Each structure stands twice: as C-alpha cells, then as structure tokens.
Amino acid sequence: PGAPFGRAAQGQPRSARGQDLEHPVEITLEEAFTGTQRILSMDNRRIEVKIPPGVRTGSKVRVAGEGYPGAAGGGSGDLFLVVQVQPHPVFERKGDDLQTEAMVDLYTAVLGGEATVPTLTGKASLNIPAGTQPGQLIRLRGQGMPKLRQPSERGNLLVKVQVRLPRQLSERERELF
C-alpha cells in the first residue's frame, strides 16, 4: 500500500507549484487598440509577451510558467502582466467606446452639415444633423476600441459636439439673426 491520496510518502519532499507573479506594464491607447508586445528581463531571462488588442486598465495578461519556480519538482507559477493604459490627449475611453469632441460653427449646428473628426485609424466624416445642440453626442458605430477576445468587433466613437459662435458679424448677418 502506498501513501494515502494527496500525501507524499514519509521522508520525500512534497512538490509544490511556484507562486504566481504580477508585473505592471504601461501601454498607450494606440497600443491597446492594435495590440503590442513587450520584452521583459526577469531573473536573467528575456520574456517576450504579446498584449492583445482591446486590453484596458486592470486587464491581466497571463504568461504560463513564467512565475516563481516550484519546489521539489513542482511546476512554475504564472506571470500576470497588469495593464495600465495611459490617458490620451484626444480620446477618453469608456469601456469599448471612445469619446472625443468636435468643434462646429453655428451655421453647421443650425442648418446641418459635416465635420471631420479624429479616430484611432485616421479621420472620419461625421454627419451633423440640423438643429444639433451644444454638448450633444453623435455616435460613429464601429470606430471605438476592439473588444477583448473579439478584436474584429469594435465599440463606438461618441463625438460631443461643441458649437463655435461667430465673434464678428457683418451688418447683413446681424440683420439675419
């Protein structure tokens, strides 16, 4: 008869899996959009880690077997990269959506028209409906962040419309107002 289930035989060291290790990593919003990689130096080893598109602050990226070594032949723990996405000067992230602002003139807000807005992939044309109010949000579908584990799907870009009032009016413009 051997040792009871779950116990090591008398005098033999018990194997134990190594502890997991957490390591912070900072990335830009653009890197969170496209995915990126980092090369870490740990215990005289170079570890290349891929960070998938769609990660957000607080996401943990698991790297199997790169934590602390185990005892008595036990496997190593895992390394978890704890992601911190840096603030962006143009976009604010809200889940998988991004929010930004667009400045339009009074005439475009009143009569309708188009505005060009930034996205993380370039510029997009935004349709401004007639009667748009200052602070109104307009949605551009599919122009937000990729969804984690489903990078082909993306959130939306929410554009907050700011109205620029004219500073100097001609006499004719004053009459029309």
Side-chain angles (χ1 to χ4, degrees):
F5 182 74
R7 291 188 168 185
Q10 201 84 10
Q12 293 180 349
R14 184 179 188 144
S15 69
R17 182 179 177 275
Q19 287 187 325
D20 293 337
L21 172 65
E22 288 190 355
H23 183 76
V25 63
E26 261 192 28
I27 63 173
T28 65
L29 186 64
E30 289 84 357
E31 289 174 319
F33 182 82
T34 60
T36 189
Q37 57 186 14
R38 290 288 189 271
I39 296 176
L40 306 173
S41 293
M42 300 180 70
D43 299 326
N44 297 324
R45 295 177 297 147
R46 286 173 40 108
I47 303 169
E48 188 173 317
V49 181
K50 291 185 179 182
I51 299 172
V55 293
R56 60 185 73 178
T57 294
S59 292
K60 290 184 178 182
V61 178
R62 179 177 173 257
V63 185
E66 295 294 347
Y68 292 110
S76 294
D78 297 332
L79 169 64
F80 288 91
L81 296 184
V82 182
V83 176
Q84 173 71 40
V85 180
Q86 299 168 346
H88 195 275
V90 176
F91 300 104
E92 181 181 344
R93 185 171 184 178
K94 297 184 177 214
D96 292 326
D97 294 337
L98 294 174
Q99 186 170 330
T100 191
E101 293 185 351
M103 187 68 73
V104 300
D105 60 44
L106 177 64
Y107 307 107
T108 302
V110 171
L111 302 173
E114 286 191 356
T116 301
V117 295
T119 71
L120 283 174
T121 58
K123 295 191 182 287
S125 182
L126 179 67
N127 183 38
I128 308 292
T132 296
Q133 299 296 306
Q136 185 173 331
L137 288 175
I138 300 175
R139 178 186 357 245
L140 279 175
R141 293 190 188 282
Q143 293 295 319
M145 295 296 290
K147 296 182 184 234
L148 189 61
R149 295 181 184 84
Q150 297 174 348
S152 61
E153 293 183 29
R154 290 180 30 196
N156 301 312
L157 176 63
L158 306 172
V159 182
K160 188 175 192 177
V161 177
Q162 300 297 346
V163 179
R164 184 181 331 108
L165 299 176
R167 293 192 180 269
Q168 297 176 342
L169 298 174
S170 67
E171 284 302 316
R172 177 71 179 134
E173 288 172 324
R174 285 182 189 278
E175 286 175 20
L176 291 173
F177 270 110

